[in-house]
RNA sequence: GCGAUCAUAGCUCAGUUGGUUAGAGCGCCGGUUUGUGGUACCGGAGGUCGCGGGUUCGAGCCCCGUUGGUCGCCCCA
């Protein structure tokens, strides 16, 4: 048979920054989501689903129309009706929109959780993809520091249950209320203006666009200036101080370790009070595993009623990378069908196993003599072989240990009238 | 948007200062052996050397471009 190479169909490539997952990593991913779903129920967070696509205005308005994020880093397109649509780059804005448009105020305070894909047009690197996935938890319609503390305890328990709290630190700061924040911001601008000549080029640009960001600059020349900048503490109103104190004492009461990071900031104006990140040095340049804070100004910015809210999100891929051991599902039974004549018997048995809740699979392709060898390479609790002797299936089962699965399988076989050789 | 680095079989890789017909291990398919917790041996299939140009008598190797991966900067909702 001759192949006409000029007629070869070119294979489309995957879109840059997207991932196909199989095996080990897919198992880790699923394990993270399973743990999240389990813990979220323990804290009484309702599962919600929100659309992957939203009108562009949902994100443009919440993030500020002119920021780099909106102008360069969103997947936006016009649909056939001429409306500007954006693939969600985060959960919070879409959930806030849903809160307003569905009248969820009636349920306030509302505790919700979700997870799924997000899209950002960024240059891919370790722990950063164009389609990525997050876990998300929010409390809408609560201005109580109890909500902040609960969300943090929830996050901490999730990381502990995933076994990755070692080497991950909760860093915490307060941005105060609107008055505190404005006063601090003005003081920072004064400070940086005074050191203008020593700042890096990047930080000079930040001074105009987003002065708080100079605080976490990585440029070694900026560090002394950033480190000597005033903390927010001197500018906090009494109310803001009390709020932060209530959050930290809630953490202490629940036994959650935390560190103050007075340099931890958020660029957007709608953030108030609590800001936090669980950080690690095990993920290269992408140090944040889980982050969030209080965004009391957001729902109003989207045209809703003034509504206090707080939440966090965590990258599933990043959490999956930190897991120690792959958590693969171990198959209960693997069957080596060593003769094609035994296939009907194998189908009969495997159907019974599955109906009775035992996971099972068979090897019945390739060289008949080598099927057993193949089956031994598939990790399973029980290895079963079917041969065909004197018009009868000859069955052997074996297991590394006498376990429940073997006994269950034996019972099912007995019920079908098959007997071990 | 900027920079570094990489791209050879399904996978992991080797491939000499540019020189016959591009190799290995694993995996896959088949045969022989063994005959039951991963046997051993033999054979086979599988490659536009990411893609497109260029230099050269000759390019997997050198040059330019491009696409993609990886890592960092920027950004970080």
């Amino acid at each position: 048979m001759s192949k006409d190479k000029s007629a070869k169909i070119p294979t489309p490539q995957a879109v840059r920054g997207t991932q196909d997952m199989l095996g080990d990593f897919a198992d880790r991913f699923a394990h993270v989501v399973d743990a999240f779903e389990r813990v979220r129920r323990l804290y009484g967070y309702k599962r919600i689903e929100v659309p992957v696509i939203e009108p562009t205005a949902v994100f443009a308005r919440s993030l500020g129309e002119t920021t780099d994020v909106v102008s360069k880093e969103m997947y936006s397109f016009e649909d056939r009706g001429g409306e500007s649509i954006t693939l969600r780059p985060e959960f919070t804005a879409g959930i806030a929109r849903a809160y307003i448009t569905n009248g969820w105020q009636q349920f306030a305070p509302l505790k919700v959780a979700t997870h799924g894909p997000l899209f950002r047009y960024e240059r891919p690197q370790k722990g950063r993809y164009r389609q990525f996935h997050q876990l998300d938890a929010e409390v809408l319609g609560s201005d109580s520091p109890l909500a902040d503390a609960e969300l943090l305890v929830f996050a901490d328990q999730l990381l502990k249950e995933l076994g990755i709290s070692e080497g991950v630190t909760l860093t915490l700061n307060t941005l105060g209320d609107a008055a505190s924040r404005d006063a601090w911001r003005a003081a920072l601008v004064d400070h940086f203006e005074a050191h203008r000549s020593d700042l890096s080029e990047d930080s000079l640009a930040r001074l105009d666009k987003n002065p708080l960001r100079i605080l976490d600059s990585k440029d070694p020349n900026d560090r002394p200036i950033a480190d000597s900048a005033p903390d927010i503490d001197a500018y906090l109103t009494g109310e803001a101080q009390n709020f932060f104190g209530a959050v930290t004492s809630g953490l202490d009461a629940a036994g959650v370790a935390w560190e103050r990071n007075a340099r931890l900031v958020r660029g957007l104006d709608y953030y108030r009070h609590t800001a936090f990140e669980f950080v690690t040095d095990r993920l290269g340049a992408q140090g944040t595993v889980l982050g969030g804070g209080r965004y009391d100004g957001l729902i109003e910015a989207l045209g809703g009623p003034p509504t206090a809210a707080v939440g966090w999100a965590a990258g599933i891929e990043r959490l999956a990378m930190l897991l120690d051991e792959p958590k693969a599902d171990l198959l209960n039974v693997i069957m080596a069908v060593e003769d094609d004549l035994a296939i009907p018997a194998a189908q009969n048995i495997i159907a019974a196993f599955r109906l009775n809740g035992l996971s099972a699979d068979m090897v019945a392709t390739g060289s008949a003599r080598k099927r057993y060898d193949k089956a031994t390479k598939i990790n399973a609790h029980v290895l079963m072989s079917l041969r065909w002797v004197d018009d009868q299936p000859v069955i052997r089962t074996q297991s590394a240990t006498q376990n429940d699965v073997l006994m269950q399988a034996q019972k099912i076989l007995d019920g079908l009238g098959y007997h071990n050789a």
Side-chain angles (χ1 to χ4, degrees):
Chain A
M1 238 199 271
S2 68
K3 287 183 192 167
D4 184 353
K5 287 187 175 174
S6 65
K8 188 179 178 187
I9 300 168
T11 304
Q13 290 179 316
V15 172
R16 175 166 227 187
T18 62
Q19 321 171 73
D20 303 305
M21 300 178 205
L22 171 70
D24 177 40
F25 194 74
D27 290 332
R28 289 163 176 262
F29 189 100
H31 178 71
V32 170
V33 173
D34 289 347
F36 175 68
E37 281 294 305
R38 193 173 61 244
V39 177
R40 154 232 134 189
R41 287 190 180 89
L42 298 176
Y43 286 78
Y45 283 64
K46 286 185 175 27
R47 171 77 206 202
I48 58 165
E49 294 290 345
V50 290
V52 170
I53 52 174
E54 291 279 356
T56 298
V58 168
F59 306 110
R61 223 173 282 159
S62 66
L63 299 172
E65 310 274 351
T66 57
T67 58
D68 280 7
V69 167
V70 168
S71 56
K72 299 195 278 206
E73 294 169 17
M74 296 199 314
Y75 274 95
S76 298
F77 60 95
E78 224 174 69
D79 72 7
R80 290 173 194 279
E83 189 178 0
S84 180
I85 302 291
T86 293
L87 264 38
R88 64 184 180 199
E90 59 157 2
F91 276 114
T92 309
I95 291 171
R97 188 236 85 220
Y99 183 83
I100 301 166
T101 57
N102 294 305
W104 287 349
Q105 294 100 312
Q106 65 183 309
F107 304 120
L110 178 62
K111 305 202 288 186
V112 297
T114 190
H115 61 84
L118 292 318
F119 304 83
R120 297 181 185 178
Y121 193 84
E122 295 182 290
R123 190 73 180 269
Q125 61 190 73
K126 187 181 178 80
R128 192 162 94 171
Y129 306 95
R130 288 186 172 181
Q131 176 178 339
F132 61 103
H133 302 78
Q134 285 188 343
L135 312 171
D136 187 271
E138 313 277 351
V139 180
L140 299 136
S142 169
D143 60 4
S144 166
L146 295 177
D148 306 52
E150 180 186 81
L151 239 5
L152 281 163
V153 179
F154 173 4
D156 186 69
Q157 180 169 350
L158 174 65
L159 298 180
K160 280 181 178 144
E161 296 213 0
L162 289 171
I164 58 182
S165 53
E166 290 293 313
V168 176
T169 309
L170 167 55
T171 61
L172 185 65
N173 198 18
T174 176
L175 305 172
D177 48 27
S180 314
R181 186 191 166 105
D182 290 347
W184 183 41
R185 184 191 169 100
L188 285 175
V189 170
D190 285 348
H191 174 79
F192 293 130
E193 286 287 358
H195 296 84
R196 199 182 180 97
S197 55
D198 298 322
L199 285 174
S200 67
E201 215 171 296
D202 283 333
S203 284
L204 283 176
R206 292 183 183 111
L207 188 50
D208 292 328
K209 286 164 64 180
N210 202 348
L212 300 201
R213 279 283 163 206
I214 300 175
L215 288 176
D216 51 23
S217 170
K218 286 179 188 170
D219 191 308
N221 295 320
D222 288 343
R223 284 315 324 161
I225 305 169
D227 290 336
S228 64
D231 291 347
I232 193 172
D233 299 40
Y235 304 91
L236 286 177
T237 62
E239 231 175 309
Q241 259 172 37
N242 291 339
F243 192 97
F244 190 52
V247 174
T248 58
S249 66
L251 293 176
D252 295 339
V256 173
W258 58 278
E259 280 176 15
R260 175 75 191 276
N261 176 6
R263 311 283 88 151
L264 177 60
V265 292
R266 294 275 116 97
L268 299 167
D269 287 338
Y270 59 69
Y271 282 102
R272 305 286 153 73
H273 298 292
T274 320
F276 55 87
E277 291 180 357
F278 286 79
V279 297
T280 179
D281 57 7
R282 290 166 58 197
L283 287 175
Q286 313 300 321
T288 302
V289 163
L290 183 154
R294 180 162 277 280
Y295 51 94
D296 290 348
L298 173 62
I299 291 174
E300 216 174 339
L302 288 171
T307 305
V310 56
W312 55 252
I316 300 177
E317 287 87 348
R318 292 185 190 177
L319 293 171
M321 284 188 279
L322 292 172
L323 293 180
D324 288 334
E325 292 294 321
K327 308 282 184 181
D329 292 328
L330 190 59
L331 199 62
N332 288 141
V333 182
I334 183 69
M335 298 172 58
V337 187
E338 298 187 74
D339 190 316
D340 280 353
L341 291 173
I343 284 179
Q347 288 171 312
N348 182 231
I349 294 166
I350 205 168
F353 282 163
R354 289 167 173 168
L355 280 172
N356 285 283
L358 287 184
S359 61
D361 211 344
M362 66 163 94
V363 177
T365 59
S367 166
R369 322 183 62 140
K370 288 184 178 167
R371 293 177 188 180
Y372 182 86
D373 288 336
K374 272 193 195 172
T376 61
K377 290 178 183 169
I378 295 171
N379 215 3
H381 283 114
V382 174
L383 173 63
M384 177 177 295
S385 66
L386 267 81
R387 303 170 74 190
W388 193 258
V389 181
D390 300 331
D391 284 342
Q392 290 284 331
V394 177
I395 298 168
R396 299 176 78 142
T397 56
Q398 43 192 310
S399 178
T401 54
Q402 279 298 116
N403 60 34
D404 295 348
V405 175
L406 183 59
M407 287 171 63
Q408 273 185 74
Q410 203 58 253
K411 228 171 122 185
I412 294 165
L413 283 173
D414 290 344
L416 292 172
Y418 292 106
H419 299 288
N420 257 359

